[in-house]
Amino acid sequence: MTNVRVRFCPSPTGSPHVGFARTALYNWAFARHHKGTFVFRVEDTDRERSTRESYDAMIGAMRWLGLDWDEGPEVGGPHGPYLQSERGDIYRDVLARLAESKYTYECYCTTDEVDARRKASGSKVMGYDGFCRDLTDEQVAAFRTLGREPVVRFRMPDGSITWHDLVRGDITFETQFVPDFALARANGDPLYTLVNPVDDALMEITHVLRGEDLLSSTPRQIPLHAALVELGIGKVMPEFGHLPFVMGEGNKKLSKRDPESHLFLYRDQGFLPEGLLNYLALLGWAIAADRDVFDLEEMVEAFDIKDVNPNPARFDLKKAEAINAAHMRMLSLDEITERVLPFLKDAGVLSDPVNAADTQLLELAMPLVAERINKLTESVDMLGFLFVDEDAFTRDEADVEKLLNDDGRAVVRRSLDALEHLGEWSAGAIQAALQAELVEGMGLKPRNAFGPVRVAVTGRRVSPPLFESMELLGRERSLQRLQSALA
RNA sequence: GCCCCGUUCGUCUAGCGGCCCAGGACGCUGGCCUCUCACGCCGGAAGCACGGGUUCGAAUCCCGUACGGGGUACCA
């Protein structure tokens, strides 16, 4: 395939959600696979609902995900502007040419009138009935004197519309079930039904990959697009592929209202963009029968729209986390340290900028935690005890109750005895001393012996390896914490 | 109501007529490893929505039913 041009064209109405990311990803992967062009267009024709805030969030989301675009906002391109709110003149011009060629007509009907006529006729087809298709000049004049302003409607052809959907195969609609639809409001504002196909035509889009919700608008777009080609406004009829929904809990489409649908929730939870993207790719597509962890490069290489599954997929947090964890383990120590840094700063574990001592400590501690966290945020709980000021150090209450009871305190007491005069403060020496005192001396099982010490020193039952942690904490602070656990 | 799309383990999927008494992954579960956690390793339970065809042979093709979803706007 040559000169593939695809577009991703969200509306800036609300916070970017996971379906947004999945659609963006598939379009991006398709473009990159075919060495084509990825166009990013902003469909902000609905001025009521479009917001600057949402626009910024969308740009931020794309950047976070690492899905770069070849044409669009902030990068420009030969088919701009890429914000529909700045393309009013273009739409007005197209509308005029369409009207001139009789592809469209003006409709003066009110919704009530249309409903009444449908009720009277007993038609099962909802929507407009074509009443104004062939109005006489007198009729138009009459409506005008009534003060009515017309909407512009597209004259749907008779017969049927069939296309070969890239995801679903042949799909046919009888046009008797596709009413003449509105292209512009009575006040002249263009509607999605017009601007989407017009921009696809003008931007020479060759493949339209979008959500399944737009499948039923395709039989309207095809004849409109054909008209645009006929008028020389467009060059090619794009191919269409309708992607399955991403569903939430239960069996409903993940809507913007569901909190778990928000993309930034995952970013803030410490997901890696490559981890989330990998998981999202799996919602409707598989790279191989026996593999589901891969990077973007591998996806680009393997992605074929024909392999996309047509049935809706449910978003499963557990699996998303597992895939993310796999990507965490693929990161080098330096990479994971760098990624974890902002989260540690946000949580107040580290100052910003990080001082030299903490930088060094972090460097020593990361090897211990890197392999045992599955999300970036988990580093906060794992590392907090190392960096906290001694007077601000606290222990998890439930853990204290469970492990620092009388028996536990006895263990801590003995540990203190064993470590107070330890010659060399190293993980090996600490382990040997505690092993001798608690396991051999007290006859405790290792897990019971070290549990109380762990809570005393790190404040939690879950921590990096104990002896290494104590070495990093240092003799003074470690002993101090053993002491304070007894208080 | 009408139109359209969909239906393989709980979930995501592989499968495009014989390689499938259905493979992988997450989750669940039994065990191993182990100073906690995480990782890793070994094992287990769990599925072709239903009914008819077509065929020597169907998870795969066709029809119907059921169920789920989307659309039916001067939203996108």
Side-chain angles (χ1 to χ4, degrees):
Chain A
M1 233 178 283
T2 52
N3 298 324
V4 164
R5 292 178 58 84
V6 298
R7 87 302 200 262
F8 175 56
C9 50
S11 294
T13 57
S15 173
H17 53 120
V18 297
F20 163 104
R22 209 277 314 267
T23 301
L25 172 64
Y26 280 19
N27 273 286
W28 180 89
F30 183 83
R32 295 291 171 254
H33 178 84
H34 292 289
K35 308 228 182 312
T37 303
F38 182 49
V39 179
F40 184 16
R41 182 171 81 219
V42 180
E43 307 227 324
D44 54 352
T45 47
D46 187 341
R47 292 185 207 146
E48 298 288 305
R49 298 196 302 153
S50 300
T51 66
R52 173 75 200 192
E53 187 188 15
S54 174
Y55 168 81
D56 290 338
M58 287 189 336
I59 300 277
M62 294 294 280
R63 297 241 192 267
W64 178 64
L65 291 169
L67 301 178
D68 57 324
W69 54 98
D70 307 303
E71 294 179 24
E74 303 197 351
V75 307
H79 301 279
Y82 293 89
L83 266 59
Q84 290 183 332
S85 55
E86 297 171 6
R87 296 170 67 82
D89 291 347
I90 295 171
Y91 305 134
R92 250 184 301 282
D93 176 56
V94 171
L95 231 28
R97 292 170 69 182
L98 246 14
E100 203 176 311
S101 312
K102 303 292 182 206
Y103 280 111
T104 60
Y105 61 93
E106 295 185 334
C107 167
Y108 293 86
C109 298
T110 65
T111 313
D112 288 347
E113 287 168 353
V114 176
D115 286 346
R117 284 200 299 269
R118 181 177 49 252
K119 213 164 271 181
S121 73
S123 170
K124 290 175 175 175
V125 182
M126 303 289 279
Y128 192 63
D129 59 358
F131 182 87
C132 293
R133 273 190 164 208
D134 302 297
L135 251 29
T136 61
D137 291 346
E138 290 73 33
Q139 287 172 300
V140 171
F143 279 125
R144 290 283 186 184
T145 54
L146 253 35
R148 292 194 189 179
E149 293 293 336
V151 300
V152 176
R153 290 188 185 277
F154 185 76
R155 209 181 287 273
M156 280 295 292
D158 292 333
S160 63
I161 308 284
T162 297
W163 77 93
H164 184 78
D165 196 274
L166 265 7
V167 174
R168 289 152 208 275
D170 288 344
I171 296 176
T172 299
F173 281 79
E174 299 297 328
T175 57
Q176 58 170 312
F177 299 115
V178 186
D180 292 350
F181 54 98
L183 296 176
R185 289 193 169 103
N187 68 9
D189 283 352
L191 292 164
Y192 163 83
T193 49
L194 174 79
V195 300
N196 183 274
V198 165
D199 284 345
D200 285 348
L202 256 15
M203 294 177 185
E204 297 174 31
I205 298 304
T206 58
H207 300 262
V208 172
L209 310 180
R210 53 172 19 169
E212 188 186 345
D213 49 338
L214 292 165
L215 188 138
S216 49
S217 77
T218 305
R220 303 189 301 206
Q221 283 186 215
I222 287 175
L224 207 205
H225 207 108
L228 295 173
V229 171
E230 185 67 30
L231 294 176
I233 295 167
K235 288 182 181 165
V236 288
M237 176 69 71
E239 293 193 64
F240 293 87
H242 290 89
L243 310 174
F245 283 131
V246 176
M247 317 290 276
E249 285 302 314
N251 205 16
K252 50 191 190 331
K253 181 187 173 195
L254 213 44
S255 89
K256 293 179 180 177
R257 270 167 277 288
D258 301 315
E260 71 267 33
S261 74
H262 292 263
L263 192 60
F264 290 146
L265 180 76
Y266 301 93
R267 180 192 62 185
D268 298 344
Q269 276 180 5
F271 269 82
L272 262 18
E274 60 266 47
L276 221 216
L277 244 16
N278 185 166
Y279 175 67
L280 256 17
L282 258 16
L283 263 25
W285 182 74
I287 196 166
D290 57 355
R291 192 158 77 98
D292 54 17
V293 175
F294 48 84
D295 61 31
L296 276 182
E297 202 178 323
E298 293 173 296
M299 180 180 182
V300 166
E301 173 71 30
F303 189 75
D304 187 337
I305 188 66
K306 290 180 182 61
D307 294 333
V308 172
N309 209 317
N311 40 316
R314 209 159 306 194
F315 188 94
D316 183 62
L317 217 212
K318 285 276 178 49
K319 178 140 185 176
E321 289 176 332
I323 297 291
N324 187 67
H327 281 269
M328 292 281 285
R329 277 166 236 128
M330 284 159 57
L331 256 27
S332 72
L333 210 49
D334 283 347
E335 286 171 323
I336 201 165
T337 302
E338 192 180 321
R339 308 265 198 131
V340 129
L341 219 43
F343 288 87
L344 293 174
K345 288 176 180 173
D346 270 4
V349 170
L350 293 175
S351 58
D352 190 11
V354 187
N355 64 51
D358 281 358
T359 300
Q360 198 184 0
L361 187 53
L362 183 64
E363 213 166 280
L364 294 169
M366 279 311 290
L368 303 178
V369 307
E371 59 186 10
R372 35 177 48 85
I373 58 175
N374 291 330
K375 285 188 289 192
L376 265 10
T377 38
E378 290 170 8
S379 62
V380 171
D381 280 344
M382 275 288 185
L383 289 170
F385 78 97
L386 266 182
F387 296 92
V388 69
D389 288 337
E390 229 36 52
D391 52 2
F393 174 70
T394 57
R395 300 185 179 86
D396 182 277
E397 281 184 38
D399 291 350
V400 167
E401 197 167 320
K402 202 151 197 176
L403 289 172
L404 287 181
N405 50 20
D406 290 345
D407 289 348
R409 289 149 67 94
V411 171
V412 172
R413 176 80 254 168
R414 294 279 293 261
S415 304
L416 204 46
D417 294 341
L419 296 174
E420 238 160 4
H421 305 294
L422 191 64
E424 171 200 327
W425 192 260
S426 68
I430 295 166
Q431 178 166 18
L434 289 179
Q435 183 85 23
E437 184 74 19
L438 307 177
V439 178
E440 275 108 64
M442 295 179 77
L444 293 171
K445 284 184 179 167
R447 62 179 300 129
N448 296 329
F450 303 128
V453 182
R454 183 186 306 282
V455 175
V457 173
T458 72
R460 302 172 69 237
R461 292 161 72 194
V462 175
S463 80
L466 217 211
F467 316 117
E468 286 81 353
S469 296
M470 291 175 79
E471 178 183 325
L472 291 181
L473 240 199
R475 180 196 301 269
E476 194 181 330
R477 292 171 80 197
S478 299
L479 294 179
Q480 197 176 329
R481 289 190 189 180
L482 289 175
Q483 216 122 37
S484 71
L486 296 171

